[in-house]
Amino acid sequence: AMERNLMRLVREIRLIDAHAAGSNIHTLDDPALLAYPVAYVSEPGYWIPSEAEVEGLRTYLAKGGFIIFDDFMRREWWNFEQQMPRVLPNAKIERLDACHPVFVSFFHIASLDMPYPHAARLQAEFFGIHEDNDPSRRLIAVINYNNDIGDYMEWSGSGWLPVNLTNDAYKLAVNYIVYGMTH
């Protein structure tokens, strides 16, 4: 439901002719992934890619792909931090602040103050990996830690989560898509 809700919004703001009727789910070693400028990985705290997927993601990022890691918290960081060096051995994961271009690529996001949707005491943290570890180069991965923008978007019409936070999740997702398509 999250991706359909998001694609309906993307279609409404006329960024791209988004496919809102279903999902495109690919493994990271699927050559079809190279046709998409932006990829989304949910729950990377449990992610253990095969060697083929490691190579596939490395190729995807080298060819200009942009990846969003979302929906993980607490100790799940440990696994993510173990897996990323397999993909990008020299990559530095750096904290992002609201001044980073990804947060102003379409909407101006002034604050990154956002709680995890089902654990309000956890505050979201935003990290990134830049091409060649150079912050002046393009961001190749954004990492939403202690956050789940996917849940905010999936349940946005249910009334279960605050409207302002579901709106913020959509703004983040649209910014990520615009950034990924323009950098």
Side-chain angles (χ1 to χ4, degrees):
M2 176 278 288
E3 61 276 11
R4 289 185 296 278
N5 289 345
L6 176 59
M7 290 302 103
R8 281 188 208 102
L9 175 69
V10 168
R11 187 184 304 155
E12 288 298 317
I13 59 177
R14 305 269 188 238
L15 292 174
I16 57 174
D17 184 23
H19 173 69
S23 302
N24 291 316
I25 299 172
H26 300 281
T27 59
L28 296 172
D29 60 339
D30 185 341
L33 182 62
L34 296 171
Y36 300 96
V38 179
Y40 175 87
V41 173
S42 183
E43 298 189 15
Y46 301 100
W47 174 55
I48 301 175
S50 68
E51 288 305 316
E53 290 173 312
V54 164
E55 186 59 38
L57 180 54
R58 186 180 303 125
T59 299
Y60 174 76
L61 296 171
K63 291 185 178 266
F66 177 75
I67 193 160
I68 303 161
F69 292 102
D70 186 46
D71 187 11
F72 68 122
M73 62 180 178
R74 296 185 177 121
R75 294 185 190 132
E76 295 169 11
W77 179 266
W78 182 86
N79 180 65
F80 177 76
E81 200 171 39
Q82 299 303 306
Q83 301 308 319
M84 277 312 294
R86 294 178 57 213
V87 177
L88 299 169
N90 299 315
K92 292 181 184 166
I93 298 173
E94 299 178 326
R95 183 177 301 277
L96 302 176
D97 61 31
C99 296
H100 191 281
V102 76
F103 299 118
V104 294
S105 59
F106 187 83
F107 293 105
H108 182 266
I109 298 171
S111 171
L112 299 177
D113 185 25
M114 185 177 216
Y116 189 84
H118 308 293
R121 290 186 289 164
L122 286 178
Q123 283 299 300
E125 297 179 63
F126 297 85
F127 296 92
I129 299 172
H130 289 90
E131 189 173 46
D132 297 327
N133 294 322
D134 182 348
S136 69
R137 303 212 41 199
R138 80 179 174 95
L139 188 68
I140 60 174
V142 68
I143 304 153
N144 301 326
Y145 176 61
N146 282 340
N147 203 352
D148 186 349
I149 66 169
D151 257 12
Y152 279 119
M153 291 182 286
E154 180 177 359
W155 302 105
S156 61
S158 70
W160 292 351
L161 299 169
V163 171
N164 62 321
L165 294 174
T166 60
N167 288 344
D168 289 347
Y170 281 113
K171 288 176 184 177
L172 285 167
V174 168
N175 276 24
Y176 295 163
I177 291 168
V178 169
Y179 184 92
M181 293 181 69
T182 59
H183 287 77

